[in-house]
Amino acid sequence: MTTVSRPALSLATLGRLPQEMRPALDPGALSIGVVHLGLGAFHRAHQAVYTEVAAERSGEHGWGICGVSQRSAGAADVLSAQDGLYSVLCLGPDDRSVRVVGSLRSALFAQRDSEALNAALAAPEVKVVTLTVTEKGYRYSSGDRRLQTADPELLADAAGRPAVTVLGQLARGLERRKRAGAGPLTVVPCDNISANGELVGQLVRELLSLPGGRFEPGLADWVDTNVRFPCTMVDRIVPATTERWREEASGMLGLTDMAPVVTEPFSQWVVQDEFAAARPAWELAGADLVEDVAPYEALKLRALNGTHSALAYLGLLSGAATIAEALRHPELEGFVRRMLDEEVRPTLDLPPGVSFESYRDSVLSRFANASLPYRCSQVATDGSQKLPQRVLGTVRDSLARGVVPRTAVTVVAAWLLAVRDGRDDKGGSFEVSDPLGVELRRAMGTADGAERAVAGALTLPQVFGDDLAGDDRFADALTERFDALARAGALSVASDLAAGR
Ligand code: CS2
């Protein structure tokens, strides 16, 4: 590939862009009012865009973002070198557009810049903290939704070193804020976890009471009075940026952007309107501020993320590289339609005014968008953290109604088989990354029968909880599905289920 030399994207070169590619407002006019933990692509394609548009439409310029990367300095440094600017490349099935976003006003790396992070969390002008740190970033067990109290990193953070974990960073920031008398704060988690706000509020409190923890006396009471943790449902498909897309965004801009994000036209944000102090006028940018997020969240996690994971694992097992490619198999499309209509739908209380059929059709057409390839292996990552939110809720609610949900259980079986064998039905190999991967493979044994594998997997209460682990109907169905997948292959199993067999 020939490398084209272009000027770098920065505040100094922004003026060269045509109006429609520039930020919604002058980035230089924004001061920081939001701290965001987890500076990944999703935040930059989602909340950062809402926040910028809200600032422009409300005329309130106090809502610039201080973004904090967690895993490496790379993202923060690349963005800092571009004055916080980056572009959003939006790929619809037949159209594409690019626009630079200007709401990110400073970028830190948590482990290197912990003092600056603490100071930002304790600044009186900062009123809101948003988070996208992935499910595993919260260091809790999805089986019982409790803090992993034996986690050495959490224990070390609680004991007082510069915090490495996200919860530790939050707790130290809140402590500094209390001391500084900087006033109330709202913490807005934006990860795909049900009742995410409630969960994070509880995990912070659990951290504050860890044995050996050193926190200022009275901090937990101060948090109760001064901090709110609203729940949110976020939705936008944002695959990892590749070199090809970096080149494409830069070509469209005529400027080199080392940190573009790529996404689809669709975007949705539903936020519980429960704030401790001021917030950006996100509703002016299209967010829904509601009293109860739960029905939106259940619909999104079970209908969209649940079938995304289904396509990821069955796709990997059948040799598909991307979600769109998996969905092109009529067997897999039939499978997810059946899962949606027969198993997910009956477990849901739909949000007011929402038609399940339109929601389903829109999800499937978004997945089919071949302009935005999303790798099955990316969606398949961290299944032990994701499936409890996405699929096990459907399983639990169905079992409670006396129904064994065979397609949903097949997704769980496909995940286990993919983690155990990493081999597709055409003989190719793949790897599924999962924080419990080693433990799961050990528990399942390598190439033994389905019964041994499933019995082993069910010994992990942090995934299945004691209720599912002890439910014979679930164990039997999972064993039968695992065996069918291992013997007959993903497409044949999917095709039987799609046909109601
Ligand atoms: C996906 C999600 O990677 C995954 O696990 O299922 O990131 C999905 O694309 C988003 O939740 C869509 O809003």
Side-chain angles (χ1 to χ4, degrees):
M1 198 197 299
T2 45
T3 319
V4 185
S5 131
R6 306 181 186 94
L9 173 62
S10 71
L11 285 175
T13 54
L14 207 49
R16 302 183 184 207
L17 293 175
Q19 196 60 40
E20 71 277 8
M21 292 188 188
R22 291 190 202 166
L25 76 182
D26 171 14
L30 286 174
S31 58
I32 287 173
V34 176
V35 171
H36 180 80
L37 305 183
L39 196 47
F42 186 76
H43 167 69
R44 287 186 277 138
H46 192 274
Q47 304 97 54
V49 177
Y50 282 88
T51 303
E52 183 191 67
V53 174
E56 190 258 328
R57 298 204 174 142
S58 65
E60 295 172 1
H61 289 175
W63 297 116
I65 300 170
C66 165
V68 186
S69 71
Q70 296 291 328
R71 278 176 307 206
S72 73
D77 292 349
V78 168
L79 284 158
S80 298
Q82 298 185 170
D83 299 324
L85 302 175
Y86 62 90
S87 59
V88 174
L89 173 62
C90 185
L91 303 178
D94 316 299
D95 55 325
R96 54 191 49 205
S97 63
V98 72
R99 185 170 85 70
V100 172
V101 172
S103 51
L104 186 69
R105 292 294 84 233
S106 89
L108 306 174
F109 172 43
Q111 296 189 34
R112 178 190 60 201
D113 307 321
S114 61
E115 177 48 36
L117 167 56
N118 248 336
L121 290 169
E125 312 75 48
V126 168
K127 310 277 188 215
V128 172
V129 179
T130 49
L131 295 94
T132 51
V133 296
T134 78
E135 295 85 345
K136 66 175 177 251
Y138 296 102
R139 296 175 189 260
Y140 77 110
S141 301
S142 18
D144 61 4
R145 292 174 63 93
R146 303 301 301 265
L147 189 70
Q148 290 167 355
T149 48
D151 183 319
E153 303 292 354
L154 285 175
L155 290 166
D157 281 2
R161 68 167 180 192
V164 166
T165 68
V166 170
L167 293 173
Q169 291 158 20
L170 268 179
R172 285 299 156 207
L174 293 172
E175 182 176 57
R176 168 89 71 101
R177 194 168 181 93
K178 171 177 183 288
R179 269 191 215 135
L185 185 74
T186 308
V187 177
V188 188
C190 301
D191 285 286
N192 287 318
I193 303 179
S194 45
N196 47 17
E198 205 178 292
L199 175 74
V200 174
Q202 169 217 314
L203 297 176
V204 166
R205 291 177 179 96
E206 280 190 74
L207 177 71
L208 295 182
S209 59
L210 274 186
R214 287 211 214 130
F215 291 103
E216 170 149 331
L219 182 55
D221 290 341
W222 184 87
V223 169
D224 287 344
T225 315
N226 291 281
V227 187
R228 290 289 169 273
F229 297 87
C231 296
T232 64
M233 183 279 265
V234 291
D235 191 5
R236 195 168 203 189
I237 293 180
V238 187
T241 307
T242 60
E243 187 47 47
R244 183 187 123 205
W245 281 328
R246 254 191 290 280
E247 186 52 34
E248 180 136 350
S250 300
M252 287 168 80
L253 295 169
L255 296 174
T256 298
D257 180 0
M258 297 302 290
V261 293
V262 56
T263 188
E264 60 176 342
F266 182 95
S267 180
Q268 192 182 10
W269 196 9
V270 184
V271 185
Q272 184 185 7
D273 200 358
E274 168 74 23
F275 282 72
R279 60 163 173 82
W282 286 318
E283 69 280 14
L284 298 182
D288 292 311
L289 276 292
V290 304
E291 212 173 292
D292 184 13
V293 175
Y296 298 90
E297 202 177 71
L299 174 64
K300 197 261 171 168
L301 285 168
R302 293 183 187 190
L304 186 150
N305 293 113
T307 54
H308 221 194
S309 292
L311 290 166
Y313 296 116
L314 292 167
L316 281 176
L317 292 175
S318 63
T322 67
I323 297 293
E325 196 182 322
L327 193 59
R328 282 201 294 273
H329 284 295
E331 298 90 336
L332 297 187
E333 188 193 336
F335 176 94
V336 293
R337 282 187 180 278
R338 185 152 187 103
M339 173 171 167
L340 286 166
D341 292 345
E342 305 294 324
E343 296 182 359
V344 172
R345 170 76 184 88
T347 70
L348 296 173
D349 283 325
L350 291 175
V354 171
S355 135
F356 185 77
E357 289 66 29
S358 324
Y359 189 85
R360 174 199 63 204
D361 294 347
S362 122
V363 165
L364 293 179
S365 64
R366 290 167 62 200
F367 287 173
N369 178 0
S371 306
L372 189 69
Y374 202 148
R375 301 196 67 73
C376 291
S377 57
Q378 190 185 342
V379 181
T381 302
D382 295 352
S384 63
Q385 316 286 307
K386 290 175 175 173
L387 291 192
Q389 319 294 332
R390 302 174 173 207
V391 180
L392 297 183
T394 300
V395 171
R396 282 196 173 89
D397 287 353
S398 305
L399 289 172
R401 292 167 44 242
V403 175
V404 177
R406 291 177 76 232
T407 59
V409 176
T410 303
V411 181
V412 182
W415 163 59
L416 291 177
L417 189 62
V419 168
R420 191 192 71 171
D421 294 352
R423 239 192 358 259
D424 68 38
D425 298 333
K426 298 175 180 160
S429 61
F430 57 81
E431 204 170 318
V432 173
S433 143
D434 195 301
L436 284 183
V438 172
E439 236 174 294
L440 267 168
R441 278 186 284 271
R442 193 180 310 126
M444 286 194 279
T446 36
D448 300 318
E451 212 159 312
R452 158 78 209 280
V454 168
L458 290 179
T459 59
L460 296 175
Q462 59 272 58
V463 180
F464 296 102
D466 293 335
D467 60 335
L468 282 182
D471 191 316
D472 290 343
R473 294 170 300 169
F474 178 61
D476 291 348
L478 190 55
T479 308
E480 187 263 320
R481 300 283 75 212
F482 187 99
D483 190 51
L485 283 170
R487 284 175 197 280
L491 292 182
S492 151
V493 164
S495 140
D496 280 353
L497 283 164
R501 288 192 294 270

